[in-house]
Amino acid sequence: VTQTPFRVVDEINQGMDSKNERMIFDRIVASCAVKQKKDHIAPQYFLVTPKLLPNLTYPADANISVLCVYNGTGMLSSQEWNMTNTIQKLRSILVAGRKRKSRDI
């Protein structure tokens, strides 16, 4: 693959079973996670898809950002969206998950 500043992959999972979709996703992540060198710059990907498989993994030391854009009839309008409330809800979900995990141990 030639070196380009970024790559766009549109609907990678179209017509693909979950096993192969996961394999391709893992390869994309692995190519992004390589340490940068003078003669090699890790590629950047824009992965456009209507859905992603659950429980996808990302290397802890990789510099990977995942941005999710939601759109549809069930979404909040821009006037109703409140980032502070969303962050508080996400934090409470994380705390509840940790409490549940500690009880299971």
Side-chain angles (χ1 to χ4, degrees):
V1 178
T2 61
Q3 286 194 4
T4 57
F6 65 88
R7 299 173 180 134
V8 177
V9 181
D10 186 19
E11 294 195 30
I12 192 170
N13 51 2
Q14 189 68 22
M16 193 182 296
D17 65 13
S18 61
K19 178 184 174 188
N20 285 312
E21 181 182 351
R22 190 171 301 278
M23 179 185 68
I24 295 298
F25 182 84
D26 289 343
R27 288 188 180 179
I28 289 173
V29 169
S31 74
C32 294
V34 297
K35 298 292 181 203
Q36 293 194 18
K37 300 174 187 168
K38 277 188 175 181
D39 60 340
H40 177 75
I41 298 173
Q44 297 179 62
Y45 281 86
F46 292 89
L47 180 60
V48 181
T49 181
K51 68 168 186 70
L52 281 176
L53 290 172
N55 304 316
L56 293 172
T57 58
Y58 309 90
D61 62 340
N63 186 12
I64 294 176
S65 297
V66 178
L67 305 174
C68 297
V69 178
Y70 297 99
N71 191 8
T73 57
M75 300 307 300
L76 293 174
S77 70
S78 60
Q79 292 80 23
E80 296 173 287
W81 172 252
N82 183 309
M83 184 62 136
T84 302
N85 289 346
T86 302
I87 290 171
Q88 288 174 346
K89 286 178 187 177
L90 289 172
R91 285 184 178 152
S92 67
I93 290 169
L94 287 171
V95 168
R98 287 184 188 135
K99 286 180 183 177
R100 195 170 33 249
K101 217 180 218 183
S102 66
R103 279 193 310 247
D104 295 343
I105 295 176

